[in-house]
Amino acid sequence: MLAVRADFPGFPAPFVAGIVALLALAGCDGAVQAPAGKVTAKTPATAPAAVIPKRSPPVSPETLQRAFKAVFGAASPLVEEETEAGFEGETEAKKLIWLGDTAILITTTTYKDASHGTEGKLGIYYLKAAGAGFTVTGKWPDAVLGNGFGGPADFWVIARRFGPLPVLYSEAGFMGQGYTCTWFELTELAPDEPKSLASVPIYYDDTGALEEGGIVIEGKITTIVPGKSFTVHYTGARTFTETWVRHGDDYVLRGKTRMKEC
């Protein structure tokens, strides 16, 4: 089993130090503990140059509920006994931020008593203000996939230091047959649609699969050059550093990875 800490519910303890370091670097809007997958087809582009406010204005619980009702036609949390996943699902409004005149709603969906292969998820929805409510302009209900057994990402946060646009940083993992792996996803909240920028492994542990020996490697972001690159430093059984460089709507690893994956 993964160890957890009370200050990061559901979040593996070996990764907490890395997250704290990331938050110091990332200039976050505020963390949400809760779920990674492709969002949209990639189109060649340069890194966005738009000037976006560093932080969104505060959003009241009533405004968050109005945005959720505009998308789902019901109040948050919404419980559905039958879903496409085949299990009871609960979708909850978690955060609403503003990008210019576009409101971006982030939701979590958790599936009750789900199978190992069923992932929870983060949904992303774009809206425009309309009178006292909102109109919906874009829906990505499966924007970021989470863990098996119906769980959403262990941890996610809106980061502001990767470039001029806000980026949804999320972590999810896999645990099975004695192996434990975790990775993070970067999803840019661009003006037209969310864009999946990178999926990077940051934790590997095979000690539960071996009677003797085994290794543990964990990584954390140590440097961010906004709009250009970030560096992950790995420690444990191996010590090394890997740099990811932005090319259009992707971050691409420079060279070959030395990180083990499940």
Side-chain angles (χ1 to χ4, degrees):
M1 293 294 291
L2 295 178
V4 298
R5 286 173 48 137
D7 48 350
F8 288 94
F11 187 68
F15 314 139
V16 172
I19 286 297
V20 172
L22 172 68
L23 298 186
L25 286 167
C28 63
D29 246 2
V32 180
Q33 290 74 33
K38 295 299 177 184
V39 176
T40 61
K42 299 295 190 299
T43 55
T46 56
V51 177
I52 302 297
K54 277 290 184 181
R55 296 181 185 276
S56 298
V59 173
S60 68
E62 293 77 17
T63 301
L64 183 63
Q65 279 286 1
R66 284 198 295 270
F68 188 89
K69 287 181 180 179
V71 175
F72 295 95
S76 171
L78 173 63
V79 176
E80 298 175 282
E81 292 185 1
E82 295 184 7
T83 65
E84 292 183 356
F87 302 93
E88 179 181 305
E90 180 176 285
T91 300
E92 184 175 1
K94 287 295 186 179
K95 195 169 186 66
L96 186 71
I97 68 169
W98 287 92
L99 189 67
D101 63 353
T102 298
I104 302 177
L105 172 68
I106 300 173
T107 65
T108 60
T109 297
T110 303
Y111 296 108
K112 183 179 180 181
D113 299 325
S115 63
H116 185 225
T118 301
E119 299 163 304
K121 58 191 179 182
L122 289 175
I124 300 176
Y125 304 88
Y126 283 25
L127 308 95
K128 297 285 187 182
F134 293 91
T135 58
V136 182
T137 60
K139 297 181 180 182
W140 296 269
D142 305 316
V144 182
L145 300 180
N147 303 299
F149 298 106
D154 295 308
F155 175 89
W156 62 270
V157 66
I158 303 297
R160 297 281 181 170
R161 295 273 176 90
F162 286 97
L165 296 172
V167 169
L168 175 59
Y169 172 99
S170 60
E171 290 200 4
F174 165 85
M175 183 172 60
Q177 298 182 337
Y179 292 88
T180 302
C181 288
T182 294
W183 55 88
F184 72 73
E185 296 270 340
L186 299 180
T187 305
E188 184 175 69
L189 303 178
D192 54 342
E193 61 184 358
K195 301 178 185 295
S196 182
L197 301 181
S199 179
V200 181
I202 52 169
Y203 189 80
Y204 176 85
D205 182 345
D206 62 11
T207 57
L210 305 173
E211 293 183 3
E212 295 182 4
I215 64 172
V216 176
I217 305 172
E218 61 181 292
K220 64 180 180 180
I221 294 178
T222 54
T223 305
I224 299 172
V225 181
K228 295 183 178 180
S229 66
F230 61 85
T231 298
V232 180
H233 181 64
Y234 295 91
T235 57
R238 303 173 184 173
T239 300
F240 57 96
T241 296
E242 296 186 344
T243 298
W244 294 70
V245 180
R246 181 150 184 171
H247 293 281
D249 288 341
D250 291 283
Y251 278 98
V252 179
L253 176 63
R254 182 183 294 164
K256 294 183 178 181
T257 186
R258 296 176 59 192
M259 181 59 173
K260 293 181 69 65
E261 298 184 56
C262 294

